[in-house]
């Protein structure tokens, strides 16, 4: 069954608006990773979160890992057309090196 | 340059045929993975291998087979038993997480398989 749920499935925003995607796991994760897949491309690693309550920033992107290590979010401030793509979370349980990917959130940014 | 090479990029298969997708990596990674991605959907794990000569089924292994005879190679065979094989197939690899950042997953460019 689905191990990691991700919402929303799609998000259409006007350039300059903010965007957030959420991932939720039914079980505690040892870590969570985020990937971006541009249209027609392959997923590319963005970041990994390991610690409970961890927050990391990459320019306009803010990543959070929940206190219970079951949920995570990616927030983009003031979106740009270059942010277009599908964002995936991937959770690892028990450090077994097997990853459960969320279904992805497809972001479209209108100029 | 180091990376993961998948071939072919596009493949057409007739119903009833087996086809094999190639995946080669020169990153010296221990673990390799095959994911299937349907249009507008997420990634589903087909098979994965943590070490040479060993592999495990993922969530949707039925109709697929793999081998891991060499560290750098992890070919995927889509058999005729796979009833709906048209999809985008992604091969990936990582170091197995023993080092900081070691379990970052690197993906190949992908292979598009279409049944005609």
């Amino acid at each position: 069954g689905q191990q990691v749920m991700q919402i929303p499935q799609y998000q259409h925003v006007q350039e300059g608006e903010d965007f957030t995607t959420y991932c939720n796991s039914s079980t505690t994760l040892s870590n969570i990773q985020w990937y971006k897949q541009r249209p027609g491309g392959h997923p590319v690693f963005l970041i990994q979160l390991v610690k409970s309550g961890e927050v990391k920033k990459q320019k306009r992107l803010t990543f959070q890992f929940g206190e219970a290590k079951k949920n995570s979010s990616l927030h983009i401030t003031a979106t740009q057309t270059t942010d277009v793509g599908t964002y995936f979370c991937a959770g690892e349980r028990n450090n077994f090196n097997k990853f459960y990917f969320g279904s992805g959130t497809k972001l479209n940014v209108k100029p | 340059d180091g990376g993961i090479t998948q071939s072919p990029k596009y493949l057409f298969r007739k119903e009833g045929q087996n086809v094999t997708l190639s995946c080669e990596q020169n990153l010296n990674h221990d673990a390799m993975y095959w994911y299937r991605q349907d249009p507008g959907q997420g990634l589903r794990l087909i098979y994965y291998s943590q070490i040479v000569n060993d592999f495990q089924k993922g969530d949707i292994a039925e109709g697929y087979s793999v081998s891991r005879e060499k560290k750098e190679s992890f070919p995927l065979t889509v058999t005729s038993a796979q009833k709906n094989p048209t999809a985008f197939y992604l091969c990936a690899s990582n170091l197995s997480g023993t080092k900081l950042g070691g379990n970052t997953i690197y993906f190949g460019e992908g292979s598009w398989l279409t049944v005609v």
Side-chain angles (χ1 to χ4, degrees):
Chain A
Q2 186 72 31
Q3 304 281 352
V4 176
M5 302 299 294
Q6 187 172 358
I7 58 169
Q9 188 174 3
Y10 301 98
Q11 186 81 54
H12 301 271
V13 300
Q14 197 73 38
E15 189 172 23
E17 292 180 339
D18 292 355
F19 159 77
T20 305
T21 174
Y22 302 89
C23 281
N24 188 58
S25 169
S26 55
T27 57
T28 301
L29 301 171
S30 52
N31 66 81
I32 194 160
Q33 301 179 5
W34 285 92
Y35 292 80
K36 177 182 178 180
Q37 184 177 25
R38 294 183 184 274
H42 60 279
V44 174
F45 175 79
L46 293 176
I47 208 160
Q48 177 176 279
L49 304 170
V50 179
K51 299 176 183 177
S52 170
E54 189 169 16
V55 178
K56 287 188 176 180
K57 292 190 176 185
Q58 288 180 349
K59 298 182 180 179
R60 295 178 292 103
L61 278 62
T62 302
F63 304 84
Q64 292 187 327
F65 201 11
E67 295 289 341
K69 300 183 74 173
K70 288 185 175 182
N71 55 68
S72 181
S73 65
L74 158 59
H75 180 81
I76 302 178
T77 303
T79 54
Q80 301 175 358
T81 55
T82 52
D83 296 325
V84 166
T86 301
Y87 293 85
F88 293 97
C89 61
E92 182 186 12
R93 291 191 305 168
N94 301 319
N95 290 311
F96 284 163
N97 207 36
K98 180 182 177 183
F99 295 86
Y100 298 90
F101 277 80
S103 54
T105 296
K106 187 174 182 179
L107 172 64
N108 186 39
V109 180
K110 293 177 287 186
Chain B
D1 289 345
I4 301 175
T5 302
Q6 287 186 239
S7 63
K9 189 169 180 64
Y10 300 96
L11 183 62
F12 296 89
R13 189 196 92 171
K14 294 182 180 179
E15 287 193 20
Q17 279 185 338
N18 292 354
V19 293
T20 297
L21 306 180
S22 169
C23 179
E24 302 279 330
Q25 54 98 0
N26 60 3
L27 300 168
N28 200 32
H29 284 173
D30 301 300
M32 297 188 74
Y33 308 81
W34 274 105
Y35 290 92
R36 169 178 170 147
Q37 186 175 30
D38 293 281
Q41 303 297 313
L43 281 68
R44 292 186 290 170
L45 183 63
I46 305 173
Y47 268 98
Y48 64 108
S49 168
Q50 303 281 19
I51 197 169
V52 176
N53 291 322
D54 187 46
F55 50 83
Q56 289 81 39
K57 293 182 178 180
D59 301 316
I60 55 166
E62 185 176 352
Y64 300 97
S65 65
V66 294
S67 62
R68 187 83 188 277
E69 297 176 1
K70 298 185 296 183
K71 186 176 184 177
E72 58 270 22
S73 180
F74 192 42
L76 173 74
T77 297
V78 185
T79 75
S80 57
Q82 171 51 237
K83 297 306 177 187
N84 186 23
T86 296
F88 186 50
Y89 291 86
L90 285 159
C91 179
S93 69
N94 72 6
L95 273 173
S96 292
T98 55
K99 299 179 182 179
L100 182 64
N103 61 359
T104 299
I105 303 171
Y106 294 83
F107 287 87
E109 299 280 332
S111 294
W112 287 96
L113 173 62
T114 302
V115 173
V116 296

